[in-house]
Amino acid sequence: EIVMTQSPATLSVSPGERATLSCRASQSVSSNLAWYQQKPGQAPRLLIYGASTRATGIPARFSGSGSGTEFTLTISSLQSEDFAVYYCQQYNNWPPRDTFGQGTRLEIK
Amino acid sequence: EVQLVESGGVVVQPGGSLRLSCAASGFTFDDYAMHWVRQAPGKGLEWVSLISWDGGSTYYADSVKGRFTISRDNSKNSLYLQMNSLRAEDTALYYCAKDIAEDTAMVFDYWGQGTLVTVSS
């Protein structure tokens, strides 16, 4: 079983500043890592897959990095619409098992 | 435009059964694997089940294995989740999600708005 641990649980950042969210896997997941954004009352939205590839329509201020067990989602200049919960998800193991991290809540400072 | 619309969520008693549906449009449904993902109230995301493009392969989370059955009808562009022996811990918003790849990638690029299942006496 691969355990995904996200940190911090809550991150407070001011608009216009940079936000850095972390995700750690209990064993290597290569680059098979995705990030999702979820706003209150909405379905999750795919931001990043393959650790660093932005999904269709995702602004360039969102970037992903890392491989193996350590991953980072960076939002370069926070906009008001970016305050949400972010989940990382590994998809390296087969058959699929536990896959999502517990989430990081990004809140306005 | 890709659309996924779930239905079928209701309040059901423990031990009861329920069938969820997901109507898909805006893409070639039978080219893609499909998933169910759930979210308990105030909690995180939990992948539930996967079905291959042709229905020939299915996979389940350990928490639902033996109780839930995923299926699809490609002629109707529809995905289903038969839920039996329901427990209180199955209470959640159930999302239908499309896989990003034609061969299964376990990456979810489109999601429905979810249908709420409440298991309570």
Side-chain angles (χ1 to χ4, degrees):
Chain A
E1 177 191 1
I2 300 176
V3 177
M4 307 302 294
T5 303
Q6 294 186 239
S7 62
T10 303
L11 181 62
S12 299
V13 182
S14 299
E17 294 189 341
R18 174 188 297 258
T20 302
L21 289 68
S22 296
C23 177
R24 173 177 293 178
S26 60
Q27 62 189 77
S28 177
V29 298
S30 186
S31 294
N32 296 315
L33 192 285
W35 290 94
Y36 299 83
Q37 175 195 67
Q38 188 178 32
K39 298 178 183 179
Q42 295 187 18
R45 177 174 71 147
L46 176 65
L47 298 176
I48 301 283
Y49 62 97
S52 61
T53 302
R54 277 190 301 277
T56 302
I58 301 304
R61 66 180 181 272
F62 291 91
S63 63
S65 63
S67 66
T69 62
E70 299 284 343
F71 300 89
T72 300
L73 175 69
T74 302
I75 311 170
S76 60
S77 177
L78 279 164
Q79 308 296 304
S80 58
E81 62 266 30
D82 299 334
F83 293 96
V85 178
Y86 291 83
Y87 294 95
C88 65
Q89 178 225 352
Q90 68 83 14
Y91 51 97
N92 191 64
N93 58 344
W94 196 264
R97 302 289 296 274
D98 297 330
T99 185
F100 289 99
Q102 82 280 17
T104 290
R105 181 178 305 277
L106 180 58
E107 63 177 28
I108 301 174
K109 186 174 181 180
Chain B
E1 178 193 6
V2 172
Q3 284 199 313
L4 299 169
V5 180
E6 302 93 337
S7 61
V10 292
V11 179
V12 60
Q13 291 189 339
S17 297
L18 198 56
R19 188 197 199 203
L20 305 183
S21 299
C22 171
S25 61
F27 65 103
T28 305
F29 183 70
D30 56 10
D31 273 353
Y32 293 90
M34 295 293 294
H35 305 262
W36 289 98
V37 179
R38 69 183 181 183
Q39 187 169 34
K43 302 297 184 183
L45 301 169
E46 179 187 16
W47 172 80
V48 172
S49 185
L50 151 67
I51 187 166
S52 61
W53 66 273
D54 62 350
S57 298
T58 58
Y59 301 90
Y60 300 92
D62 288 345
S63 58
V64 307
K65 198 173 296 182
R67 300 187 298 122
F68 290 10
T69 302
I70 191 171
S71 62
R72 65 191 294 162
D73 185 339
N74 287 343
S75 69
K76 296 182 178 178
N77 287 354
S78 293
L79 175 72
Y80 306 101
L81 186 68
Q82 178 66 41
M83 310 165 68
N84 297 333
S85 303
L86 283 161
R87 306 167 180 167
E89 54 264 36
D90 295 319
T91 294
L93 188 63
Y94 283 74
Y95 293 104
C96 164
K98 172 187 166 294
D99 202 286
I100 197 171
E102 293 187 356
D103 55 338
T104 306
M106 280 293 292
V107 176
F108 317 120
D109 62 345
Y110 289 94
W111 300 62
Q113 285 304 301
T115 188
L116 182 61
V117 174
T118 303
V119 183
S120 174
S121 55

